[in-house]
Amino acid sequence: MSHIAGIRQTQKLRTRQALLDAALGLLEHQSLSSLGLREVTRAVGVTPTAFYRHFEDIPALGVALVEQTLGSLHGMIGAMLAETGDSEVRLDRGVELIRRHVREQPAHFRFIAREQHGGVGPVREAIAAQLRLFAEEVAAALAGEPESHGWNEEDLLMLGGLYVDHMVITASAMLDAGPDGDAQVARVARRRLRLVTLGRLHWLDGADAG
């Protein structure tokens, strides 16, 4: 790649990120379904034509925001799940991971919380797809633990989804509580997840009895 081509690519990436950042700022006060393309381009100082060089439309921009917010978590959660040792310690680390990211990126998580059940179909589907992927990753990690002996794939996926659902609820509660109240939210989240873990140990008891 020539020097000039490299500069152009860098500028293109900067403009794309500027559009994402501007949209995120505007979405602090409105839903994605009400966001106008010209609002975003005006905030960045580019023409609508420039917008189309990066995104097909506003829903496509929303999908990119979903990938930016949730996609970056996969590697960190994967590394945490790969750790050996006490499962409760990993749950504690998972809660702290969510707490840290909510503090660092509140606008991103507020966007996810609002649009998870919002009116823009492609964005709803993108969020659901990311959460399903998280559930599958958690289920795959749980499958390798001694406590999962005898569990079938469907039940493991159900358990993975339960952990992920709790994390989503926790993130939303932390947004509402703010930095001054998120410690209490984290404490409750840990207790709830420990309750799920205890239930996991006895899940097969009824099946054995039957």
Side-chain angles (χ1 to χ4, degrees):
M1 180 181 293
S2 69
H3 178 65
I4 294 176
I7 292 174
R8 287 176 178 169
Q9 180 64 16
T10 299
Q11 291 173 336
K12 183 177 180 180
L13 292 174
R14 285 176 179 169
T15 300
R16 185 180 190 277
Q17 188 59 50
L19 289 166
L20 290 169
D21 292 343
L24 195 62
L26 292 166
L27 289 170
E28 286 281 340
H29 310 290
Q30 61 185 306
S31 66
L32 187 67
S33 60
S34 66
L35 183 65
L37 185 151
R38 290 185 179 276
E39 285 182 85
V40 179
T41 55
R42 191 181 306 119
V44 178
V46 298
T47 65
T49 301
F51 177 94
Y52 289 115
R53 297 192 190 109
H54 302 276
F55 304 104
E56 180 180 345
D57 50 25
I58 288 293
L61 180 147
V63 170
L65 280 173
V66 171
E67 293 171 350
Q68 186 179 77
T69 303
L70 298 179
S72 62
L73 288 174
H74 285 286
M76 285 175 282
I77 290 179
M80 180 189 69
L81 290 171
E83 294 178 2
T84 57
D86 191 280
S87 60
E88 289 196 10
V89 172
R90 279 184 291 168
L91 289 177
D92 288 346
R93 288 177 180 171
V95 172
E96 284 305 310
L97 177 67
I98 296 300
R99 184 184 182 191
R100 186 174 74 247
H101 275 267
V102 168
R103 281 192 169 196
E104 292 173 351
Q105 301 177 322
H108 285 82
F109 282 91
R110 196 169 291 114
F111 163 74
I112 296 295
R114 183 188 296 120
E115 300 301 330
Q116 183 180 3
H117 304 292
V120 181
V123 175
R124 274 200 323 273
E125 293 165 7
I127 295 172
Q130 288 285 345
L131 296 181
R132 279 197 303 272
L133 183 56
F134 279 126
E136 290 168 1
E137 290 169 351
V138 173
L142 294 174
E145 297 181 350
E147 296 87 346
S148 297
H149 178 71
W151 281 59
N152 60 43
E153 185 176 340
E154 181 181 0
D155 286 353
L156 284 168
L157 187 58
M158 177 184 66
L159 180 61
L162 191 56
Y163 281 127
V164 171
D165 288 345
H166 271 286
M167 288 301 185
V168 172
I169 292 169
T170 297
S172 181
M174 285 177 173
L175 280 172
D176 292 338
D180 293 333
D182 64 4
Q184 172 63 15
V185 173
R187 188 183 74 83
V188 173
R190 292 189 192 98
R191 288 171 58 83
R192 288 176 175 172
L193 289 169
R194 286 185 180 123
L195 182 60
V196 173
T197 299
L198 288 172
R200 173 192 177 190
L201 298 176
H202 300 283
W203 175 249
L204 295 179
D205 291 354
D208 292 341

